[in-house]
Amino acid sequence: MRMTDGAARGIGPRKAAVLGSPVTHSKSPAVHRAAYAALGLDGWTYDAIDTGADELAARVGGSGPEWVGFSVTMPGKLAALAFADERTRRAELIGSANTLVRTADGWRADCTDVDGMTGALAAAGVPATAARAVVIGAGGTALPTVAALAEAGVDEVSVVARSAERAAGVLELAEKLGMSARVIGFDADAVLRSACAEADVTVSTVPAPAAESLIPAVIGTGRLVDVIYDPWPTPLAAAVSAAGGTVVGGLVMLLNQAYSQVEQFTGRQAPKAAMAAAVGL
């Protein structure tokens, strides 16, 4: 595992933070602080710093050597990728970064959102033979979702979007990953109902209110991953669970992307049990 400079030398307290706007609601500080405590990293801190996309470069670029890394949430993920001195292949492929890690040569961008969704898919019991998936939404979270689905072996994905134009980026990524993809409109109830019934998993990447109108069509899915974690359960998650489906929420995704961040920031294995306990899982 590649370690940060400070972690590799073990020299004193270090700092990390989550950047975004708004960011006060973030559970990342609780998760990361629990990890540092469990690892015995005395004096290591992790804070939430309200930072707009146009402020990110100055914030990170002006950080002293005690800073080992930053988690990045909206609206700064594109700015994080552009700022970095180097980028992982998956960050370049997806076109955004939620992680900046200090290296000997500057800052490395990564997209651990893929790890987050991979963990959520595993928690939902998506089988190794999975072939079909439905992804609700075509925004920034849909991209790492498609990447994780491809890694899981899914080769057919239906993207629920307002229009084909809005889904263009997701469709392009699916094609690069060797997947066949199509768009289903938000008002195509019969098509969506059939797709969800046949899918190995349905993933909702949209806010809870946006998914409510889809409940009658989605309720028949056997497995649902809903990226929302507050408030929980969402109406969609509650409906699928009541109908007998397996449901996994956004806290599982949050934890799994944070495991990877902690390992990149500290150079040590993530203390998963302590991190999960910090958010009640």
Side-chain angles (χ1 to χ4, degrees):
M1 177 182 299
R2 186 173 183 178
M3 295 188 289
T4 62
D5 295 342
R9 294 196 300 268
I11 51 173
R14 290 291 178 260
K15 294 182 177 181
V18 56
L19 307 180
S21 186
V23 77
T24 55
H25 67 285
S26 176
K27 294 185 181 295
S28 291
V31 172
H32 280 256
R33 289 169 186 168
Y36 303 159
L39 291 171
L41 296 174
D42 295 336
W44 279 54
T45 62
Y46 185 103
D47 297 303
I49 304 175
D50 196 280
T51 306
D54 58 346
E55 301 171 303
L56 184 140
R59 175 80 65 187
V60 179
S63 62
E66 70 276 14
W67 287 87
V68 295
F70 293 93
S71 309
V72 183
T73 187
M74 297 304 290
K77 294 185 178 184
L78 296 179
L81 186 72
F83 169 81
D85 301 288
E86 61 177 294
R87 303 161 185 82
T88 62
R89 180 181 178 277
R90 63 183 180 179
E92 288 186 331
L93 184 66
I94 291 164
S96 68
N98 74 323
T99 306
L100 288 169
V101 184
R102 187 185 290 279
T103 71
D105 302 315
W107 292 92
R108 181 179 72 249
D110 191 19
C111 184
T112 70
D113 285 332
V114 178
D115 301 318
M117 184 53 64
T118 295
L121 295 174
V126 176
T129 56
R132 299 182 182 89
V134 174
V135 176
I136 301 172
T141 306
L143 295 166
T145 294
V146 167
L149 288 168
E151 288 184 358
V154 171
D155 54 19
E156 296 180 22
V157 60
S158 298
V159 181
V160 183
R162 299 294 181 188
S163 67
E165 290 74 20
R166 296 185 68 168
V170 180
L171 298 178
E172 181 181 356
L173 177 60
E175 182 179 352
K176 288 180 180 178
L177 296 171
M179 307 168 77
S180 63
R182 63 169 176 168
V183 176
I184 298 177
F186 265 70
D187 56 352
D189 293 351
V191 178
L192 179 57
R193 183 177 295 107
S194 176
C196 289
E198 296 174 358
D200 294 291
V201 63
T202 298
V203 181
S204 177
T205 70
V206 300
E212 284 194 56
S213 65
L214 304 178
I215 290 175
V218 178
I219 198 170
T221 191
R223 300 178 186 87
L224 172 72
V225 174
D226 192 328
V227 304
I228 303 300
Y229 62 76
D230 186 20
W232 184 259
T234 64
L236 176 62
V240 171
S241 180
T246 299
V247 175
V248 171
L251 275 182
V252 175
M253 183 177 176
L254 173 74
L255 279 171
N256 279 272
Q257 62 84 29
Y259 297 154
S260 183
Q261 288 183 339
V262 165
E263 291 177 353
Q264 292 188 60
F265 291 175
T266 69
R268 304 184 186 183
Q269 291 295 317
K272 295 182 179 180
M275 294 170 71
V279 289
L281 292 181

